[in-house]
Amino acid sequence: MAQRSPRQSFFSKSSVSNSDSASSDPKSRNGNLSKSQPRRRSRRSTPPPPQPQPVPRRDRSREPRQKVDPSRLESFDPLVSQLRQQPSRRPKSRQSASQPGKRPSQKATLTSVLPFLKPTVSKPQRSRRPPMDRVATVSPVPAPNQPVKRIRKKRRVSPMVYATRLLILGIGIGVISGTILSILNALGRSSAEANQTVNLTLEQQQNPNSHPSNTQVQPLQLTQEATDLKTAILALAQDSPTLKPGVFLVDLDTGNYVDIAGETPLPAASTIKVPILVSFFQAVDEGRIRLDEILTMEEKHIAKGSGELQDKPIGSKFTALETATLMITNSDNTATNMIIERLGGIETLNQEFLSWQLKQTQMQNILPDLEGTNKTTSKDLVTLMAEINQGKLVSMKSRDFLLRIMQQTRNRSLLPSGLGEGAFIAHKTGNIDTVSGDIGLVDMPNGKRYLVGVLVQREEDNPQAEELIRQISSTIYQYFDSSTNPVPNSEPSTDDPNEVQNQDNQQ
């Protein structure tokens, strides 16, 4: 019998044990019965078949040992050689990869060796933590998408560039500082104006009849007195020693003036209606009176003297504008009394006159004031008209209304009679027994403009007072119309003053 090699004896024993597996029970190395271990299957594999019942252990020592066929053992040689030549392969998935220190499973080895066994496909499981052998190492080489820092060399800047930069910076700081200072200055002015407005409002609340300080009449900007014109006017008054004229004249273009007893209080007569008209339009501007407001004539308003409303029945109604117009154009005393009552009475008007710095202009009685208790001066009237001309006491719209009404004054026997052709005048006359006067704003054809007020105090309705007013008006007009000094005109006017004088006579 041929001698067997150790390998052949090993495989012969294994084959014998396999052949007798049907008739004998397998045993473990320590002689105990080995339970059949189920194969590890993947999640997708079918459940394992039920385990067979353990078979009672048989005593193999008493059984006769079977002989192993050598030809059968030789049939396993190619398989053994194939196992030796087969290289170990790593699984592609991370879960099946062999880890150091861990024994590979028997199933994976048999599947790679025996091709007739079908490998079980198991779904790879993802692990949150990467294996230790796949931890990324820091590389000094930057990634392709990572920006590369470039180090630039500093360039030297010339002193001229530094100087230019400093100059631009200084200019910018200066501009910013100037802007800030201008803003602060404007804010300071606005706050001061606001405080002034608040103070004025408080004063108005304490005294409702008072007016803001910006509506006060400011002193005229007088330059120098026209002495030659003053001498000519005084020469006219010497012919009538019983007459006491009060004259005040101002050139609105140059500021030259003439003052002959201009601050002496004299009876106002109907010239007091000029400041009443100013107060009326100031109330219109403030919204206290509407031009289309209806005023009713009552018995207490009826006054004798000039005017036609005294002949109207009691209870007649007129608009406020119609009433104020009749007060000036026709010198209607009844219409004047209606306006005085509507404005708040005599005391209210006196406070307004005082707020306008008309210190010598006051009312004591309603019209007709035949006793001459209502007083004024020629300078007060001229100063008031100068402010009206500049639109300081009333709005420009009200100023136009006021001057248009004064241009329609019917009595043109005094100042208008001494003017040349083409001149315009807005004026108001006044006549009682003790005084005759006229106040007006004159526009000459050559563009000259001046204000003149003449009040002549007289005795017993002396007609020479009206004649003196006409001569003074003609002298002033010739003075501004020519370049040479005017010659006083002693000739009487061709106009008959008796035709229109009675319309303005308060008796």
Side-chain angles (χ1 to χ4, degrees):
M1 185 174 179
Q3 189 176 0
R4 291 180 295 177
S5 61
R7 297 179 182 177
Q8 292 178 354
S9 62
F10 172 76
F11 283 102
S12 61
K13 291 180 182 181
S14 63
S15 61
V16 171
S17 62
N18 291 333
S19 61
D20 296 341
S21 61
S23 60
S24 62
D25 295 332
K27 292 184 180 182
S28 61
R29 294 182 180 179
N30 55 6
N32 297 327
L33 291 175
S34 61
K35 295 181 182 181
S36 59
Q37 299 293 331
R39 295 185 179 180
R40 296 183 181 177
R41 299 179 180 271
S42 61
R43 296 180 182 177
R44 296 184 180 179
S45 63
T46 58
Q51 298 180 359
Q53 296 294 331
V55 182
R57 189 175 62 178
R58 296 171 61 184
D59 189 5
R60 294 181 60 185
S61 61
R62 297 180 181 182
E63 293 181 0
R65 186 174 185 183
Q66 295 181 2
K67 296 181 180 181
V68 181
D69 189 4
S71 61
R72 191 175 181 180
L73 293 176
E74 293 177 358
S75 61
F76 288 95
D77 292 339
L79 182 59
V80 174
S81 62
Q82 186 177 0
L83 288 174
R84 292 178 178 177
Q85 295 177 0
Q86 184 71 22
S88 61
R89 297 180 181 178
R90 290 186 179 181
K92 296 182 179 180
S93 62
R94 296 182 180 179
Q95 297 294 334
S96 61
S98 61
Q99 297 181 359
K102 187 175 181 181
R103 187 176 180 180
S105 64
Q106 183 179 1
K107 181 179 178 181
T109 306
L110 294 176
T111 304
S112 60
V113 174
L114 302 178
F116 54 85
L117 293 180
K118 295 183 178 179
T120 58
V121 180
S122 61
K123 186 176 180 181
Q125 298 180 357
R126 296 181 180 178
S127 177
R128 295 183 178 177
R129 295 182 180 180
M132 297 301 295
D133 56 351
R134 293 178 177 266
V135 177
T137 58
V138 180
S139 176
V141 181
N145 297 330
Q146 184 179 359
V148 180
K149 295 183 180 180
R150 298 180 179 179
I151 301 175
R152 296 182 178 180
K153 296 182 179 180
K154 295 183 179 180
R155 298 180 180 179
R156 298 182 61 184
V157 183
S158 62
M160 291 297 296
V161 176
Y162 276 116
T164 306
R165 291 178 181 177
L166 292 176
L167 179 61
I168 295 173
L169 180 61
I171 293 173
I173 293 175
V175 171
I176 294 173
S177 302
T179 305
I180 294 174
L181 291 177
S182 61
I183 293 173
L184 293 176
N185 190 16
L187 291 176
R189 291 180 180 178
S190 61
S191 61
E193 293 176 359
N195 293 333
Q196 184 178 4
T197 304
V198 171
N199 295 332
L200 292 175
T201 305
L202 294 176
E203 292 178 2
Q204 289 180 355
Q205 291 178 357
Q206 295 175 359
N207 188 5
N209 296 323
S210 63
H211 293 276
S213 60
N214 57 356
T215 60
Q216 296 178 359
V217 175
Q218 301 297 329
L220 289 174
Q221 299 296 328
L222 304 178
T223 56
Q224 61 181 1
E225 189 172 13
T227 55
D228 49 354
L229 181 59
K230 181 178 181 179
T231 302
I233 295 174
L234 289 174
L236 295 174
Q238 289 177 359
D239 297 338
S240 302
T242 59
L243 302 178
K244 297 180 179 180
V247 181
F248 194 84
L249 166 73
V250 59
D251 184 0
L252 296 178
D253 298 328
T254 62
N256 295 338
Y257 67 97
V258 172
D259 186 0
I260 302 175
E263 298 182 357
T264 303
L266 296 174
S270 290
T271 58
I272 197 65
K273 299 173 183 177
V274 174
I276 295 175
L277 183 66
V278 174
S279 178
F280 170 79
F281 278 104
Q282 195 174 75
V284 171
D285 292 337
E286 295 174 357
R288 295 185 283 116
I289 298 179
R290 290 172 54 94
L291 294 177
D292 57 353
E293 180 180 343
I294 301 300
L295 302 180
T296 303
M297 185 182 70
E298 301 178 4
E299 185 177 0
K300 60 182 178 180
H301 299 149
I302 297 176
K304 297 180 180 180
S306 61
E308 57 188 20
L309 292 187
Q310 58 183 336
D311 299 330
K312 301 290 181 180
I314 298 175
S316 301
K317 299 181 181 299
F318 307 93
T319 63
L321 181 60
E322 290 174 350
T323 306
T325 302
L326 290 174
M327 177 180 67
I328 300 299
T329 59
N330 202 26
S331 191
D332 198 302
N333 294 329
T334 303
T336 304
N337 294 335
M338 294 173 64
I339 295 296
I340 291 174
E341 183 185 16
R342 181 63 184 84
L343 292 175
I346 294 176
E347 293 298 329
T348 301
L349 289 173
N350 287 333
Q351 291 179 2
E352 290 185 352
F353 300 161
L354 186 61
S355 66
W356 299 342
Q357 302 299 319
L358 305 180
K359 299 179 181 181
Q360 304 296 333
T361 302
Q362 288 186 350
M363 293 185 63
Q364 301 295 331
N365 294 303
I366 60 174
L367 300 181
D369 180 30
L370 301 180
E371 293 80 9
T373 58
N374 299 331
K375 301 292 184 178
T376 189
T377 64
S378 58
K379 185 176 182 179
D380 279 358
L381 295 177
V382 169
T383 303
L384 179 63
M385 288 298 296
E387 297 298 314
I388 294 300
N389 178 58
Q390 298 178 5
K392 291 184 179 180
L393 295 178
V394 295
S395 64
M396 301 300 292
K397 181 179 180 180
S398 296
R399 184 201 69 171
D400 295 341
F401 263 115
L402 187 147
L403 294 178
R404 190 180 303 117
I405 291 172
M406 292 183 68
Q407 286 179 356
Q408 299 173 8
T409 301
R410 296 180 183 178
N411 186 358
R412 303 183 66 84
S413 62
L414 299 179
L415 289 178
S417 64
L419 304 179
E421 185 178 359
F424 294 92
I425 183 172
H427 70 111
K428 180 68 190 77
T429 59
N431 287 289
I432 56 175
D433 289 343
T434 57
V435 71
S436 178
D438 199 353
I439 168 69
L441 172 65
V442 179
D443 285 307
M444 298 180 62
N446 60 0
K448 203 70 178 176
R449 198 176 217 196
Y450 61 91
L451 276 166
V452 58
V454 181
L455 294 175
V456 180
Q457 190 174 10
R458 61 184 179 180
E459 296 177 356
E460 298 178 356
D461 195 14
N462 188 352
Q464 294 182 355
E466 287 86 0
E467 181 63 25
L468 179 61
I469 295 175
R470 288 190 289 268
Q471 292 179 1
I472 293 174
S473 175
S474 176
T475 302
I476 295 171
Y477 186 85
Q478 293 179 16
Y479 176 83
F480 287 114
D481 189 43
S482 60
S483 57
T484 58
N485 293 335
V487 177
N489 186 9
S490 59
E491 296 180 0
S493 176
T494 57
D495 297 337
D496 187 3
N498 295 326
E499 296 180 0
V500 293
Q501 182 176 1
N502 292 331
Q503 296 181 1
D504 196 40
N505 194 347
Q506 294 185 353
Q507 294 180 346

